[in-house]
Amino acid sequence: MMRTVVFGDSIAKGIVTIQGRIETIEDNAVRLISNYYKTEIDNISFYGQTLKRIYDKKIADKYLESIDDKEEVFAVFALGGNDSDYDWKKVSENPYIKHDPKTLLEDFESMLLEMIGKLKSKGITVVLTTIIPLDSQSYFDNVISKMGDPDQIMIFLENHDFPWFLIFESEDGIMIVSGEADNMSQQL
């Protein structure tokens, strides 16, 4: 029997913001794929989920304990957006100092590699996804600016190296994920 699990964030869970309200889309991507292929998908995705949280809480390890070793398993990682996010309230309070994202890029890479290695050692096929492209202005207006003073946040964005989440959307960030996929012989 084949089994698929998705470790993801709100996007994989089908949670979106519509006119400032958080809503769940019943026909989200994971459900549509599940219906199309007529297969059950374990969707272990949560609003605000980060790779760091999955790593720290050993969510992948617990999932491994719950499955039969004889099953063919595909593990999909659909994460990165929340890891690359900032505490915008703190940024707004002092935009002139360096602020770190929720997960440093080098930590993201090392945790991802460790989890891929652990899953592969159990015969699981790992599929990595990149984060979806965002409309930067819309994301700023509807999300970031609601968490602090937009003018102060813009000072931070204009006076510091590009934050992780902006880099991740660029070719370089995608190359980190696709490079790891190539290095680990995984699917992207």
Side-chain angles (χ1 to χ4, degrees):
M1 182 169 129
M2 186 183 84
R3 191 171 187 158
T4 301
V5 59
V6 176
F7 297 102
D9 56 20
S10 58
I11 294 168
K13 197 66 169 184
I15 300 171
V16 297
T17 304
I18 300 174
Q19 297 179 339
R21 291 189 357 248
I22 295 174
E23 297 186 21
T24 302
I25 298 172
E26 291 303 319
D27 288 333
N28 62 65
V30 172
R31 182 165 292 146
L32 291 172
I33 292 168
S34 175
N35 291 341
Y36 181 82
Y37 288 105
K38 296 176 182 26
T39 184
E40 188 173 322
I41 297 176
D42 299 324
N43 192 353
I44 305 178
S45 301
F46 297 97
Y47 184 82
Q49 187 67 282
T50 62
L51 182 69
K52 181 171 179 17
R53 189 177 301 132
I54 288 173
Y55 182 87
D56 290 345
K57 293 188 173 197
K58 301 191 180 306
I59 293 171
D61 294 330
K62 292 174 187 171
Y63 183 79
L64 282 173
E65 293 169 6
S66 75
I67 61 173
D68 184 347
D69 288 345
K70 294 175 179 73
E71 293 180 296
E72 180 183 14
V73 179
F74 291 84
V76 179
F77 283 89
L79 295 159
N82 294 312
D83 288 281
S84 62
D85 204 8
Y86 286 76
D87 182 335
W88 296 111
K89 185 174 189 286
K90 286 185 180 178
V91 167
S92 175
E93 290 167 358
N94 192 346
Y96 298 100
I97 65 169
K98 179 183 181 297
H99 293 273
D100 289 326
K102 291 179 183 173
T103 307
L104 295 172
L105 192 54
E106 57 271 15
D107 293 342
F108 184 91
E109 184 176 12
S110 68
M111 288 184 289
L112 182 61
L113 289 173
E114 184 178 327
M115 286 197 289
I116 289 170
K118 191 177 289 187
L119 292 166
K120 280 188 71 175
S121 75
K122 300 288 186 183
I124 294 173
T125 302
V126 177
V127 179
L128 303 176
T129 67
T130 59
I131 60 175
I132 63 168
L134 296 174
D135 175 338
S136 300
Q137 189 63 52
S138 177
Y139 185 68
F140 182 83
D141 293 342
N142 295 304
V143 178
I144 295 172
S145 67
K146 305 286 188 231
M147 298 180 196
D149 180 330
D151 294 331
Q152 293 293 94
I153 293 170
M154 280 307 298
I155 291 169
F156 170 75
L157 292 173
E158 291 169 352
N159 290 295
H160 291 83
D161 291 334
F162 280 104
W164 197 96
F165 78 97
L166 294 176
I167 292 171
F168 199 86
E169 287 183 35
S170 73
E171 186 174 318
D172 292 342
I174 291 171
M175 291 308 294
I176 289 169
V177 172
S178 62
E180 295 312 327
D182 289 342
N183 291 341
M184 301 295 286
S185 299
Q186 300 309 307
Q187 299 176 13
L188 178 64

